[in-house]
């Protein structure tokens, strides 16, 4: 068997299909890269890491294979010789037309210029994701449609099978109780990243870090064209502000499983998010020429709420858009959960072999790479209402008005520590007592107003330059069998804001405050510090 691919995205689709042949010693697997695409470099690197056997394309042209699988009809594919040749789903339907190749007005993937060789279909099997795609293939290329079968989408089946690992993915991404917003950008000049390069940074700087995490999902072709290192450098300010940048191989699918909502352009990745029931918000796509009217993606975007700015986004997501996005995704994906068995039956029938009797289940998606550690310095907004305090934290580069700055001592840069009114630290090497460390910090950094030793997730020593030491207890919120905590550094910021607003109440101890950080409200207990806080080795 030869798996022929032109780009990284085409290769990833082939890898989703490989379980069809799992455990069959009669199948010998070879890969080859079909020339003609400028998006293919990353694919070869991925194969090298996997240990797959790769055959040079020129050598492959002189071989005859029992089966050739591909997910793209373009390039020199027709020069390969195989007893059985199959074109499999490349993505979520046929939603775009490109004016630079083939027949400019026809949907990419349905163009007879690529599907036919000397007037005859090159493939013996066209595996399609939905009957709507079969109808359109019949319209544009009837000879190919005669060999088409609707099998569903193996990538979506893999994503659905992986929804049981959603919490694991969210833990790896450092999401917790926050809303995970995935920003989806396709490739080319009409993509979100090309039109609105500054949007990821804008989102990262203006959405509270305890309420949201933002992940940018970039089309593999765009990653290949820009280069992973170059792309990361172009996005460096946003990455420093906490933006997640998952790999374009399989992590994008894990991120969609973990996500709560997506902000998208006209790329069909949003259909996968819609099929999973995620909220879909459109970043205006006006005046573009690629999206095909009446396609499933066009119909989805016609009803999706419009992104009008970062300030309006929380209310937009909270209110919930009208129509169920999954209803529109249903026009792109048929036979849910059955793609691999249907494909196996068709391919083995064409090969004249009895298929393995082992059951077929999609391979679970891999864990995303763990998120980087939280930013060591933050800008803090605080609203004090009696004994209720609401805290919102942002990257230090935000342009929003803030109440104060908070930094992790020993982790933030010197300038960030000097400008922070609140400095905090987790337990270290035990070279200090908590009180000794706090005194050292207040002496070393005269701009600091509060030094806080975070002794545990629930217990802190908080030393205020004017009002003296306090013991702070951060009680978790317990309800319906769930335990929800806030970052104790955020609790320290809440106490500091309350002391600024109510300086004459600092002696009224003990007292309790209700502190809201992101979606969680907890009880803070502030009292006199004793040896149990002072003398802890820190």
């Amino acid at each position: 068997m030869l798996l022929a691919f032109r780009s990284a995205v085409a290769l990833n689709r082939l890898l989703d299909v490989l379980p069809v042949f799992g455990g069959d010693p009669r199948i010998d697997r070879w890969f080859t890269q079909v020339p003609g695409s400028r998006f293919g470099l990353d694919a070869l690197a991925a194969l090298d890491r996997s240990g797959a056997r790769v055959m040079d394309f020129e050598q492959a042209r002189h071989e005859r294979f029992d089966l050739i699988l591909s997910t793209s009809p373009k390039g020199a594919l027709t020069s390969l010789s195989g007893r059985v040749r199959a074109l499999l789903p490349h993505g979520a339907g046929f939603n775009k037309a490109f004016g630079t190749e083939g027949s400019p007005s026809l949907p990419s993937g349905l163009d007879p210029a690529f599907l036919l060789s000397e007037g005859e279909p090159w493939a013996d099997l066209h595996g399609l994701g939905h009957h709507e795609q079969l109808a359109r293939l019949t319209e544009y290329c009837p000879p190919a449609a005669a060999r088409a079968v609707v099998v569903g989408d193996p990538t979506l089946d893999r994503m659905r099978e992986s929804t049981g690992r959603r919490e694991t993915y969210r833990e790896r991404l450092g999401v917790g109780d926050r809303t995970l917003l995935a920003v989806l950008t396709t490739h080319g000049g009409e993509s979100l990243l090309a039109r609105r390069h500054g949007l990821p940074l804008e989102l990262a700087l203006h959405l509270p870090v305890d309420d949201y995490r933002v992940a940018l999902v970039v089309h593999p072709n765009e990653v290949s064209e820009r280069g992973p290192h170059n792309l990361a450098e172009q996005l460096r300010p946003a990455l420093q502000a906490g933006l997640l940048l998952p790999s374009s191989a399989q992590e994008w699918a894990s991120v969609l499983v973990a996500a709560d909502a997506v902000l998208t352009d006209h790329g069909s990745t949003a259909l996968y998010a819609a099929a999973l029931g995620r909220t879909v918000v459109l970043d205006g796509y006006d005046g573009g020429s690629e999206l095909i009217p009446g396609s499933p993606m066009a119909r989805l975007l016609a009803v999706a709420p419009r992104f009008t700015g970062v300030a309006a986004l929380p209310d937009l997501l909270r209110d919930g858009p009208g129509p169920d996005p999954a209803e529109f995704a249903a026009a792109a994906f048929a036979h849910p959960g059955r793609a691999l068995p249907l494909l196996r039956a068709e391919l083995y029938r064409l090969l004249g072999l009895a298929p393995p009797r082992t059951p077929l289940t999609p391979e679970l998606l891999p864990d995303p790479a763990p998120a980087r550690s939280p930013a060591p310095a933050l800008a803090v907004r605080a609203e004090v209402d009696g004994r209720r305090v609401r805290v919102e934290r942002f990257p230090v580069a935000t342009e929003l008005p803030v109440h104060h700055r908070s930094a992790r001592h020993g982790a933030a840069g010197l300038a960030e520590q000097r400008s922070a009114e609140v400095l905090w630290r987790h337990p270290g090497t035990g070279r200090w007592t908590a009180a000794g460390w706090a005194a050292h910090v207040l002496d070393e950094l005269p701009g600091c107003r509060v030094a806080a030793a975070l002794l545990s997730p629930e217990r802190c020593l908080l030393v205020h330059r004017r009002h003296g030491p306090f013991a702070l207890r951060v009680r978790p919120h317990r309800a319906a069998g769930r335990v929800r905590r806030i970052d104790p550094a955020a609790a320290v910021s809440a106490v500091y804001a309350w002391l600024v607003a109510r300086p004459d109440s600092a002696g009224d101890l003990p007292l309790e405050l209700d502190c809201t950080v992101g979606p969680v409200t907890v009880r803070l207990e502030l009292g006199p510090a004793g040896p149990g806080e002072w003398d802890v080795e820190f």
Side-chain angles (χ1 to χ4, degrees):
M1 175 177 66
L2 181 69
L3 297 103
F5 62 91
R6 297 178 74 235
S7 64
V9 66
L11 172 63
N12 293 333
R13 300 292 176 173
L14 287 173
L15 296 177
D16 287 340
V17 174
L18 275 183
V20 162
F21 306 101
D24 192 338
R26 298 168 296 178
I27 304 296
D28 204 17
R29 299 153 187 81
W30 288 89
F31 291 81
T32 192
Q33 184 173 18
V34 181
S37 172
R38 64 183 188 275
F39 305 124
L41 293 179
D42 288 344
L44 285 177
L47 283 179
D48 284 343
R49 290 192 297 270
S50 72
R53 294 186 299 177
V54 179
M55 182 180 293
D56 180 81
F57 185 76
E58 284 303 312
Q59 179 185 351
R61 288 180 60 191
H62 294 91
E63 301 284 346
R64 180 170 174 81
F65 299 90
D66 292 302
L67 173 63
I68 298 175
L69 294 182
S70 184
T71 55
S72 173
K74 298 177 182 178
L77 188 67
T78 56
S79 64
L80 296 173
S81 177
R83 181 166 65 87
V84 175
R85 297 166 296 192
L87 279 173
L88 303 178
H90 179 71
F94 307 102
N95 301 285
K96 291 183 185 178
F98 300 104
T100 56
E101 53 187 7
S103 306
S105 61
L106 296 188
S108 179
L110 299 179
D111 191 344
F114 299 113
L115 298 179
L116 302 180
S117 176
E118 298 180 353
E120 293 294 322
W122 175 82
D124 302 291
L125 171 68
H126 287 265
L128 300 177
H130 193 274
H131 297 87
E132 184 268 351
Q133 299 168 23
L134 177 58
R136 291 208 286 158
L137 182 60
T138 301
E139 176 185 356
Y140 293 116
C141 190
R147 302 182 180 184
V149 177
V150 177
V151 297
D153 191 292
T155 300
L156 179 60
D157 285 356
R158 191 177 178 193
M159 296 170 73
R160 282 176 167 153
E161 186 69 18
S162 300
T163 54
R165 306 193 71 243
R166 173 175 160 84
E167 290 305 314
T168 298
Y169 299 152
R170 290 174 67 87
E171 289 175 10
R172 293 276 290 186
L173 295 167
V175 174
D177 292 311
R178 290 175 283 190
T179 295
L180 176 58
L181 175 68
V183 180
L184 313 181
T185 176
T186 188
H187 64 99
E190 296 185 8
S191 68
L192 182 150
L193 198 58
R195 293 182 293 107
R196 299 279 301 277
H197 180 81
L199 182 58
L201 177 60
E202 184 181 356
L203 291 166
L205 290 181
H206 294 91
L207 290 174
V209 300
D210 297 296
D211 293 76
Y212 295 91
R213 290 226 70 167
V214 181
L216 180 64
V217 177
V218 184
H219 193 285
N221 287 357
E222 192 71 19
V223 176
S224 182
E225 186 162 50
R226 296 185 184 227
H229 180 268
N230 187 49
L231 177 64
E233 288 300 309
Q234 292 171 350
L235 295 168
R236 176 185 285 271
L239 295 174
Q240 291 176 331
L243 178 74
L244 301 173
L245 186 64
S247 79
S248 59
Q250 298 178 19
E251 284 188 12
W252 69 272
S254 303
V255 168
L256 289 194
V257 171
D260 299 288
V262 300
L263 175 61
T264 187
D265 53 20
H266 63 299
S268 59
T269 301
L271 283 168
Y272 289 101
L276 295 174
R278 308 299 179 250
T279 299
V280 177
V281 177
L282 172 63
D283 177 60
Y285 179 70
D286 300 318
S289 61
E290 295 177 353
L291 185 63
I292 297 174
S295 64
M297 189 63 192
R299 294 198 296 270
L300 172 65
L301 296 185
V303 301
R306 265 46 177 179
F307 175 74
T308 58
V310 179
L313 185 60
D315 287 339
L316 184 65
L317 297 179
R318 191 179 305 115
D319 294 343
D324 182 0
E327 295 180 7
F328 296 87
F333 307 109
H335 304 313
R338 297 176 57 199
L340 291 180
L342 290 173
L343 266 175
R344 180 160 73 175
E346 291 296 328
L347 291 171
Y348 275 88
R349 177 184 61 81
L350 290 171
L351 288 170
L353 296 175
R357 300 173 64 93
T358 53
L360 267 178
T361 56
E363 184 177 354
L364 296 177
L365 294 166
D367 291 346
R372 297 196 309 176
S373 300
L378 294 166
V380 183
R381 302 176 79 175
E383 179 182 335
V384 178
D385 181 11
R387 292 194 175 181
R388 296 178 179 273
V389 186
R390 179 174 184 83
V391 168
E392 291 183 326
R393 300 188 296 174
F394 301 85
V396 290
T398 186
E399 299 173 351
L400 296 171
V402 298
H403 182 272
H404 65 271
R405 294 176 184 272
S406 169
R408 181 177 178 181
H409 185 253
L414 180 58
E416 291 174 332
Q417 293 186 54
R418 284 175 172 170
S419 65
E421 291 91 339
V422 173
L423 283 162
W424 51 272
R425 196 181 92 161
H426 292 290
T429 60
R431 295 175 56 242
W432 296 94
T433 64
W437 169 81
H440 165 70
V441 168
L442 292 171
D443 180 61
E444 179 186 51
L445 297 165
C448 176
R449 292 277 141 322
V450 168
L454 310 185
L455 306 176
S456 75
E458 297 185 19
R459 180 166 161 252
C460 310
L461 171 69
L462 187 153
V463 181
H464 190 283
R465 185 177 292 277
R466 176 183 171 189
H467 299 296
F470 301 94
L472 173 62
R473 300 281 177 165
V474 186
R475 298 298 186 188
H477 177 82
R478 296 174 181 268
R482 292 195 62 191
V483 179
R484 306 172 81 186
R485 302 179 185 275
I486 66 170
D487 183 350
V492 171
S493 281
V495 172
Y496 173 66
W498 183 81
L499 289 172
V500 171
R502 306 282 191 272
D504 296 334
S505 301
D508 300 335
L509 302 181
L511 61 85
E512 295 183 346
L513 303 174
D514 287 328
C515 175
T516 299
V517 181
V520 182
T521 299
V522 301
R523 180 65 52 86
L524 305 183
E525 299 173 359
L526 198 64
E533 290 81 32
W534 277 107
D535 294 334
V536 173
E537 293 185 2
F538 196 68

